[in-house]
């Protein structure tokens, strides 16, 4: 696998994660970057890794954040991903996971309650890396990153806790 193929796999993981959430989240790509991998002596290797990000543009209320984190955690576990760490910070919680192939995943709540997904690939053979081909379901927004969530959803944006499962 080379860096482009790894990036495509990371894009698929992002898409699968977003698709596992109902009601659907509105999202946009975050910045993608790649870096050269080095060994323990900081010598450059012929490998590199890629980071892909998605910014959730759906407003997720404080009362619904735990539910969304739970949905993502269960989706990752169902795919055989290992939950490696959970940050239970009341304001900025996050969940970290790893795939059996060594891709590192995170879902994190940041400023103003915005959710971000991030996937970092292991080191693979260096290659050029194209922008993601997956199509976000919100229009591109001008301005710096991150653009704050601005899409209201009757479920995710509600100020009441979610109803108990039936």
């Amino acid at each position: 696998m080379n860096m482009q193929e790894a990036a495509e796999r990371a894009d698929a993981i992002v898409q699968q994660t977003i698709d596992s959430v109902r009601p659907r989240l509105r999202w946009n790509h975050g910045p993608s970057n790649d870096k050269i991998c080095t060994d323990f002596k900081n010598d450059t290797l012929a490998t590199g890794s890629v980071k892909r990000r998605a910014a959730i543009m759906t407003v997720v209320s404080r009362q619904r954040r735990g539910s969304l984190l739970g949905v993502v955690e269960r989706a990752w576990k169902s795919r055989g991903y290992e939950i490696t760490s959970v940050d239970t910070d009341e304001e900025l919680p996050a969940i970290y996971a790893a795939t059996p192939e060594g891709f590192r995943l995170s879902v994190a709540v940041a400023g103003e309650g915005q959710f971000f997904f991030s996937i970092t690939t292991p080191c693979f053979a260096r290659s050029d890396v194209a922008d993601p081909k997956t199509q976000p379901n919100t229009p591109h927004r001008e301005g710096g990153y991150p653009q704050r969530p601005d899409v209201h959803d009757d479920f995710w944006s509600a100020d009441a806790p979610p109803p108990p499962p039936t």
Side-chain angles (χ1 to χ4, degrees):
M1 185 177 289
N2 64 31
M3 290 170 62
Q4 176 60 41
E5 293 165 331
E8 290 168 6
R9 173 72 177 119
D11 293 340
I13 293 169
V14 169
Q15 194 65 59
Q16 289 170 343
T17 300
I18 291 170
D19 289 347
S20 69
V21 178
R22 294 285 182 263
R24 290 186 58 89
L25 296 170
R26 307 296 284 179
W27 67 281
N28 220 321
H29 289 291
S32 177
N33 64 321
D34 53 86
K35 66 177 186 161
I36 296 170
C37 295
T38 59
D39 66 11
F40 71 97
K41 295 184 279 182
N42 257 352
D43 291 335
T44 300
L45 303 174
T47 61
S49 73
V50 179
K51 180 179 271 193
R52 296 291 213 206
R53 296 179 182 96
I56 303 305
M57 303 311 294
T58 302
V59 174
V60 180
S61 70
R62 181 178 305 279
Q63 295 83 351
R64 303 289 169 113
R65 292 176 192 162
S67 294
L68 181 50
L69 288 167
V71 168
V72 171
E73 182 177 8
R74 287 187 297 278
W76 286 349
K77 284 180 176 178
S78 75
R79 289 186 182 89
Y81 304 164
E82 175 190 0
I83 303 303
T84 58
S85 179
V86 176
D87 184 342
T88 59
D89 183 271
E90 195 170 308
E91 293 297 314
L92 305 173
I95 299 172
Y96 303 90
T99 70
E101 306 85 16
F103 287 70
R104 295 181 315 278
L105 296 66
S106 71
V107 56
V109 179
E112 299 179 33
Q114 186 167 23
F115 275 73
F116 293 94
F117 293 104
S118 176
I119 313 293
T120 304
T121 73
C123 295
F124 288 106
R126 286 190 8 208
S127 68
D128 289 337
V129 178
D131 290 336
K133 292 179 184 161
T134 53
Q135 292 299 309
N137 59 9
T138 60
H140 173 74
R141 290 159 169 82
E142 295 299 323
Y145 179 81
Q147 295 103 14
R148 294 300 178 198
D150 59 4
V151 179
H152 180 83
D153 178 85
D154 289 343
F155 179 81
W156 292 116
S157 306
D159 287 331
T166 55

